[in-house]
Amino acid sequence: MLGYEKYFYKLEMPFLYSLLEMQENGSYLNVELLDDMLIWFTNEVEKAKYEIYRLAEKQFNINSDAQMREIVFGKFQNKPLSYTEKTKEPSVCSADLRQMPGEFPKQVVYFNDVFKLLSTYIIPFKKRCINGKIQYRFNNTITKTGRLSSSKPNFQNIPTGKDLKYNIRDLIIAPEGYKLL
């Protein structure tokens, strides 16, 4: 047997069986908490959107950098802190907005943070939750470093949401008689 074949059959194949079993088993979710979070995060996004429109004194596409620039640097006269690499336009990234004075940038950052958690975790978890469990896909050949990644939904690097009412990680629970480490 060649060195690669030995590696494949002794290491990779047993590992793939473990990955498949983990994917099939999935993880348990606290469904009641997920329902509460869906309502709370959806309401927070809507409240933040309302506040952004109120402060801007008009409705606009919050996800449009061009429209956001017009308000941040035009209406509110904020000074650009950095410029985009590609277009050399003033940046409206969250890192820059966090450093700007006034309520408007704070509301935009809050909207971005809450919307990201809602769209990346809460909604996908809700869509894929079946009988209190969520199944996801492990990818063992996608990263250059050889680490595992996950998708459908993203189950890695789940943020705490420590500055919010809810902690996203609290959604994942152990089956009865077990503990998560």
Side-chain angles (χ1 to χ4, degrees):
M1 220 184 262
L2 296 173
Y4 291 119
E5 288 179 19
K6 183 177 179 183
Y7 167 79
F8 178 75
Y9 287 108
K10 295 282 187 187
L11 188 64
E12 279 295 317
M13 287 308 291
F15 181 63
L16 286 176
Y17 290 125
S18 295
L19 277 183
L20 285 172
E21 186 177 348
M22 288 168 49
Q23 283 182 178
E24 286 177 16
N25 289 337
S27 294
Y28 286 92
L29 292 181
N30 182 332
V31 179
E32 288 178 26
L33 181 60
L34 179 59
D35 291 340
D36 290 347
M37 283 187 180
L38 181 62
I39 292 167
W40 188 83
F41 276 88
T42 302
N43 287 337
E44 288 301 298
V45 164
E46 290 305 313
K47 284 193 275 186
K49 219 192 281 188
Y50 173 82
E51 192 60 19
I52 288 167
Y53 295 153
R54 186 187 70 74
L55 291 166
E57 297 177 333
K58 70 175 187 175
Q59 288 191 9
F60 65 100
N61 181 354
I62 296 171
N63 296 315
S64 165
D65 286 351
Q67 291 179 35
M68 186 62 70
R69 269 196 276 303
E70 183 182 306
I71 294 168
V72 170
F73 303 115
K75 178 175 181 56
F76 291 107
Q77 300 291 304
N78 284 297
K79 302 286 184 241
L81 300 176
S82 67
Y83 294 85
T84 62
E85 203 170 301
K86 187 176 180 181
T87 63
K88 307 298 183 214
E89 295 279 350
S91 176
V92 287
C93 69
S94 286
D96 285 2
L97 290 171
R98 284 181 205 286
Q99 298 176 51
M100 291 180 184
E103 188 59 28
F104 184 80
K106 286 180 182 64
Q107 282 297 323
V108 174
V109 168
Y110 182 72
F111 170 84
N112 289 341
D113 290 348
V114 174
F115 183 77
K116 171 93 173 156
L117 293 173
L118 178 66
S119 62
T120 304
Y121 298 101
I122 307 298
I123 292 172
F125 282 14
K126 182 68 177 169
K127 285 182 180 176
R128 296 187 63 89
C129 184
I130 300 170
N131 298 325
K133 290 175 90 174
I134 188 166
Q135 292 175 310
Y136 35 88
R137 178 174 296 145
F138 283 114
N139 310 301
N140 67 326
T141 59
I142 292 180
T143 65
K144 290 179 182 178
T145 60
R147 68 176 173 76
L148 284 177
S149 66
S150 66
S151 58
K152 297 186 180 179
N154 180 350
F155 213 73
Q156 64 198 42
N157 299 325
I158 297 175
T160 60
K162 63 181 184 244
D163 298 332
L164 302 170
K165 179 178 178 180
Y166 290 106
N167 182 336
I168 304 296
R169 293 179 184 181
D170 289 342
L171 286 172
I172 300 134
I173 57 174
E176 197 170 317
Y178 291 87
K179 290 185 178 184
L180 291 177
L181 300 176

